[in-house]
């Protein structure tokens, strides 16, 4: 007697999970709006005000362009110095955070915690703290961007170090190489391209961040944002925004091309 093997058709997955997720998202949106006293009525009523501001921003005040060139150069210098400081400080932090470089959990866990703490503090708050210490000017912004860059670059770099090929490390250990030789002849060649890429990425972020640090007195183009917004000179604000956008786009393009050549 021939037995016919009947194929069982699997049941379609239940939509209950999707419904529950959708309901949970709606509940979170409603709870957030309730706690912040936000309503769609306020959004609808205030929406026309956006067009009135845009109407005041157009056309931009091109004559104001000459006034902000020096401030934009200061912003770029702040980003360059801040990124450089952060890149240098990030190297030892990245090494001591990598579990394949430092075997003791009593070392790399506290260092990772410190990096997480640094990344938690916004650069605007760091700039405000340094303004209180050093006074007004670009110096507080440079230190704020340096600390902020340290957290980003060290985090990405130690993850790259943990992902390197272990073969060269084992070979160097077999011939009696020490930790310094490990790093110089095995870790650096494998991580150098990634490290430079992370530094360039951090520089892109710092250019944007440096543009607003002047709001707390840390120098750069942000001071002109604060000044023009305070006097409701929206035509000048649009000039600053366009100039900042052009600078950021140019830096992003150059940085992207450099990263493509490295990786």
């Amino acid at each position: 007697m021939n037995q016919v093997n009947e194929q069982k058709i699997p049941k379609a997955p239940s939509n209950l999970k999707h419904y529950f997720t959708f309901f949970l998202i709606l509940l979170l949106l409603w709870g957030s709006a309730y706690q912040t006293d936000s309503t769609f009525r306020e959004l609808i009523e205030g929406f026309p005000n956006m067009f009135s501001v845009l109407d005041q921003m157009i056309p931009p005040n091109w004559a104001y362009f000459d006034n902000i060139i020096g401030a934009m150069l200061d912003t770029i210098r702040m980003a360059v110095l801040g990124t450089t400081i952060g890149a240098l400080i990030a190297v030892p932090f990245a090494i001591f955070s990598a579990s394949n470089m430092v075997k003791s959990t009593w070392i790399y866990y506290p260092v990772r915690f410190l990096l997480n703490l640094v990344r938690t503090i916004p650069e605007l708050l760091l700039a405000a703290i340094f303004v209180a210490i050093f006074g007004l000017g670009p110096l507080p912004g440079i230190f704020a961007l340096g600390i902020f860059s340290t957290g980003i670059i060290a985090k990405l770099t130690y993850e790259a170090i943990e992902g390197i090929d272990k073969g060269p490390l084992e070979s160097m250990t077999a011939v009696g190489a020490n930790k310094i030789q490990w790093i110089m002849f095995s870790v650096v060649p494998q991580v150098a391209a990634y490290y430079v890429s992370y530094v360039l990425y951090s520089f892109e972020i710092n250019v944007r961040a440096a543009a607003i640090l002047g709001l707390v007195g840390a120098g750069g183009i942000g001071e002109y944002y604060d000044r023009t917004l305070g006097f409701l000179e929206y035509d000048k604000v649009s000039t600053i925004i366009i100039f900042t956008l052009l600078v950021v786009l140019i830096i992003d393009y150059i940085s992207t091309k450099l990263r493509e050549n490295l990786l």
Side-chain angles (χ1 to χ4, degrees):
M1 184 176 179
N2 295 328
Q3 295 181 352
V4 180
N5 294 326
E6 297 181 356
Q7 294 182 350
K8 294 183 179 180
I9 300 175
K11 295 182 179 180
S14 175
N15 291 327
L16 182 61
K17 179 180 179 180
H18 302 291
Y19 294 146
F20 177 76
T21 303
F22 180 72
F23 174 76
L24 181 61
I25 293 174
L26 289 180
L27 183 63
L28 290 173
L29 289 174
W30 176 83
S32 300
Y34 177 78
Q35 292 294 328
T36 56
D37 294 328
S38 302
T39 62
F40 282 105
R41 178 181 176 182
E42 293 177 343
L43 178 62
I44 296 172
E45 291 177 351
F47 192 74
N49 296 331
M50 296 174 59
F51 294 99
S52 64
V53 172
L54 290 175
D55 184 59
Q56 298 177 55
M57 295 178 70
I58 301 173
N61 186 350
W62 299 114
Y64 194 65
F65 184 81
D66 293 336
N67 298 353
I68 58 178
I69 293 178
M72 180 57 72
L73 292 176
D74 286 341
T75 298
I76 296 174
R77 294 186 192 105
M78 288 167 55
V80 170
L81 291 173
T83 305
T84 303
I85 293 172
L88 294 175
I89 300 176
V91 172
F93 277 96
I95 293 174
F96 284 105
S97 297
S99 58
N100 57 343
M101 293 290 100
V102 179
K103 301 299 183 181
S104 175
T105 57
W106 292 99
I107 296 177
Y108 66 80
Y109 274 138
V111 177
R112 290 183 184 183
F113 174 79
L114 183 60
L115 292 177
N116 291 331
L117 180 62
V118 168
R119 292 197 308 275
T120 302
I121 305 174
E123 64 272 14
L124 199 61
L125 178 57
L126 288 171
I129 295 173
F130 284 117
V131 165
I133 297 174
F134 298 106
L136 302 175
L139 186 61
I142 293 171
F143 281 116
L145 294 176
I147 293 177
F148 182 71
S149 300
T150 300
I152 295 178
I153 298 173
K155 164 71 174 178
L156 296 174
T157 304
Y158 90 70
E159 290 179 348
I161 292 175
E162 290 185 333
I164 63 176
D165 185 8
K166 297 180 180 179
L169 295 178
E170 295 173 353
S171 300
M172 294 184 67
T173 303
V175 297
N178 55 36
K179 287 283 187 179
I180 302 298
Q181 292 171 325
W182 262 28
I183 296 171
M184 293 301 298
F185 300 106
S186 180
V187 177
V188 172
Q190 296 187 67
V191 179
Y194 294 100
Y195 172 76
V196 175
S197 176
Y198 300 148
V199 172
L200 292 173
Y201 173 69
S202 178
F203 176 65
E204 295 175 23
I205 297 175
N206 285 340
V207 172
R208 298 181 179 91
I212 62 171
L213 294 184
L215 296 174
V216 294
I221 197 69
E223 291 184 357
Y224 287 84
Y225 275 115
D226 188 32
R227 189 180 307 170
T228 53
L229 286 172
F231 288 101
L232 305 180
E233 297 174 324
Y234 294 114
D235 57 338
K236 296 180 180 179
V237 173
S238 62
T239 304
I240 300 173
I241 292 174
I242 293 172
F243 188 24
T244 305
L245 176 62
L246 290 175
V247 171
V248 169
L249 288 177
I250 293 172
I251 292 174
D252 283 354
Y253 176 78
I254 296 173
S255 178
T256 300
K257 290 301 180 181
L258 289 174
R259 287 202 303 269
E260 289 176 355
N261 294 329
L262 289 171
L263 298 177

